[in-house]
Amino acid sequence: MVITIDGAAGVGKTSTAKEVAKKLGFQYFDTGSMYRAVTLHFLEKKVDFFSDSEIEKALDTMELKIDFSEKNNMKLLLDGIDISLKIRNHNVTKNVSAVSAIKSVRTLMVNIQRSVTENGNFVVEGRDIGTVVFPDAKHKFFLEADYDARAKRRMADFIKINEVININEIKKDLIERDKYDSNRKLSPLKKPTDAISINTSHCSFEEQVIQILKHIESKDERN
Ligand code: DC
């Protein structure tokens, strides 16, 4: 079974999805990290994002593995190396929207997402999870928050990896990324019509998690 949590950058998807997965005994699955891994691979291989042949070659030779062996933790290995931290850096963050708008990249990622979740229970977070990847999921959530709250969360993420970035730069980055992610032709970020919206600007992390768990419980009781 799959529970989907979609939303823009910095709305609190990751921490929420992790906790919901933990509470339900499900596996947590962050699909944004896959697009970041491809972006890192393209940057390291100096792939021209406008060259179909370079993109195809880079995707063919990419050795990307998702490691779910640790309960409630997901690791990504690129060519056998754990890149879970490296994919959070500013350069990957700046380029990931462009890479995630490439059709062949999305097709490959969506195929992997569907095949790895075939057997098991997952809380999957991303942008198109409830709309495109798992349109038939029973439980769908869409998280939203204002720019100040989102920038503060992203700032805390950068501090964790020892990157010092100005909060205004982060805000500008978020606005640009939203514009790009919401307006791209393929699988743009949008609320699934049958998803429950949760605004996380002013509610605590615990409240967000409780709201989601309550919705799941009450829908499960109804059918
Ligand atoms: O959640 P994140 O910031 O780590 O995601 C990085 C980028 O990946 C984001 O700018 C858009 C893209 N993405 C996507 O296109 N589809 C998804 N399912 C998840 C992320």
Side-chain angles (χ1 to χ4, degrees):
M1 172 170 159
V2 161
I3 292 169
T4 72
I5 301 187
D6 287 300
V11 294
K13 289 190 306 292
T14 301
S15 47
T16 309
K18 262 194 171 174
E19 191 59 21
V20 170
K22 193 172 158 193
K23 287 268 180 342
L24 296 173
F26 281 28
Q27 182 65 53
Y28 149 78
F29 188 1
D30 164 16
T31 59
S33 66
M34 295 173 71
Y35 291 95
R36 287 172 178 271
V38 178
T39 305
L40 177 68
H41 178 63
F42 282 11
L43 291 171
E44 285 181 345
K45 300 284 179 230
K46 299 196 177 5
V47 171
D48 174 357
F49 299 169
F50 296 98
S51 161
D52 288 344
S53 61
E54 285 190 29
I55 289 167
E56 291 316 310
K57 196 170 142 216
L59 288 178
D60 281 349
T61 55
M62 181 177 67
E63 290 264 346
L64 181 65
K65 288 217 162 61
I66 309 174
D67 178 356
F68 286 120
S69 60
E70 257 177 53
K71 194 78 195 146
N72 212 31
N73 194 20
M74 164 187 169
K75 271 194 210 147
L76 276 176
L77 307 176
L78 187 62
D79 299 322
I81 296 165
D82 183 354
I83 50 155
S84 308
L85 277 186
K86 213 171 173 186
I87 53 170
R88 302 283 149 201
N89 76 32
H90 193 50
N91 198 25
V92 170
T93 305
K94 248 182 21 200
N95 286 285
V96 66
S97 280
V99 172
S100 60
I102 298 169
K103 188 168 186 223
S104 52
V105 171
R106 297 208 73 82
T107 304
L108 180 63
M109 295 302 105
V110 170
N111 285 342
I112 298 174
Q113 288 154 19
R114 287 183 181 144
S115 77
V116 299
T117 51
E118 233 163 35
N119 301 307
N121 294 317
F122 292 82
V123 177
V124 189
E125 61 138 307
R127 302 292 192 287
D128 59 341
I129 308 304
T131 50
V132 173
V133 189
F134 301 108
D136 299 328
K138 180 175 176 189
H139 299 292
K140 297 183 185 179
F141 296 91
F142 192 76
L143 303 194
E144 293 165 298
D146 61 40
Y147 277 110
D148 283 331
R150 293 170 58 193
K152 270 194 214 145
R153 288 198 187 110
R154 275 287 132 125
M155 180 96 159
D157 291 341
F158 282 123
I159 289 171
K160 269 188 227 149
I161 58 166
N162 294 323
E163 279 203 41
V164 183
I165 314 245
N166 180 294
I167 193 134
N168 291 325
E169 199 181 330
I170 296 179
K171 229 194 251 185
K172 205 174 113 221
D173 217 60
L174 285 174
I175 293 169
E176 267 169 31
R177 215 135 64 85
D178 277 3
K179 212 162 80 191
Y180 208 111
D181 293 345
S182 309
N183 292 304
R184 69 178 178 219
K185 266 201 292 197
L186 296 165
S187 312
L189 166 69
K190 69 168 191 246
K191 177 183 172 298
T193 48
D194 50 351
I196 306 270
S197 284
I198 295 182
N199 192 310
T200 67
S201 310
H202 305 294
C203 70
S204 73
F205 170 64
E206 288 76 18
E207 283 165 349
Q208 282 159 224
V209 173
I210 289 171
Q211 275 193 59
I212 290 180
L213 292 173
K214 275 192 178 152
H215 279 294
I216 293 172
E217 211 179 278
S218 76
K219 195 165 183 181
D220 278 345
E221 273 169 11
R222 273 182 277 131
N223 44 55

